[in-house]
Amino acid sequence: ASCNITETILYNTHIKRILFNHCITCHNNNNRLGSISLEGYDHTKQVMAAGRLLGAIRHTPGFSPMPQGNGPKLDNCDIQVIQKWMDSGMPE
């Protein structure tokens, strides 16, 4: 299913909200589960550049599926937004 993403995806406009809603409880500067913080643009960009975020949220074999426990997999549109953000150079 297509999400009809037409605008430029920006960290502050789109990505921050997704991460805040689904990831930040475990992956913040104080908690850093798995040595990963997704708090703030710089941390998020580092995790994306390392190739760790998309595999985890897509539940790709070989990656630790996120969110762990009984959290549901991210919505496919949210994953597409994150992919498009990465493909466009991760603008802030």
Side-chain angles (χ1 to χ4, degrees):
S2 176
C3 300
N4 296 324
I5 306 163
T6 55
E7 72 270 27
T8 301
I9 305 299
L10 301 174
Y11 173 80
N12 286 315
T13 308
H14 305 88
I15 304 303
K16 191 173 172 181
R17 173 190 56 81
I18 295 169
L19 299 178
F20 185 81
N21 288 338
H22 300 283
C23 314
I24 206 72
T25 304
C26 296
H27 298 292
N28 58 64
N29 290 340
N30 295 321
N31 209 353
R32 291 183 187 262
L33 282 185
S35 301
I36 291 176
S37 173
L38 294 171
E39 185 175 331
Y41 174 73
D42 291 334
H43 287 117
T44 302
K45 191 172 177 182
Q46 287 172 355
V47 175
M48 284 293 288
R52 299 183 67 184
L53 185 60
L54 279 169
I57 63 174
R58 284 186 174 138
H59 296 190
T60 304
F63 289 85
S64 184
M66 292 293 144
Q68 284 191 328
N70 44 9
K73 185 177 176 185
L74 262 66
D75 180 79
N76 281 335
C77 282
D78 285 344
I79 294 172
Q80 285 181 36
V81 166
I82 293 170
Q83 173 73 59
K84 186 168 180 180
W85 178 64
M86 188 187 79
D87 291 347
S88 63
M90 299 181 276
E92 190 168 6

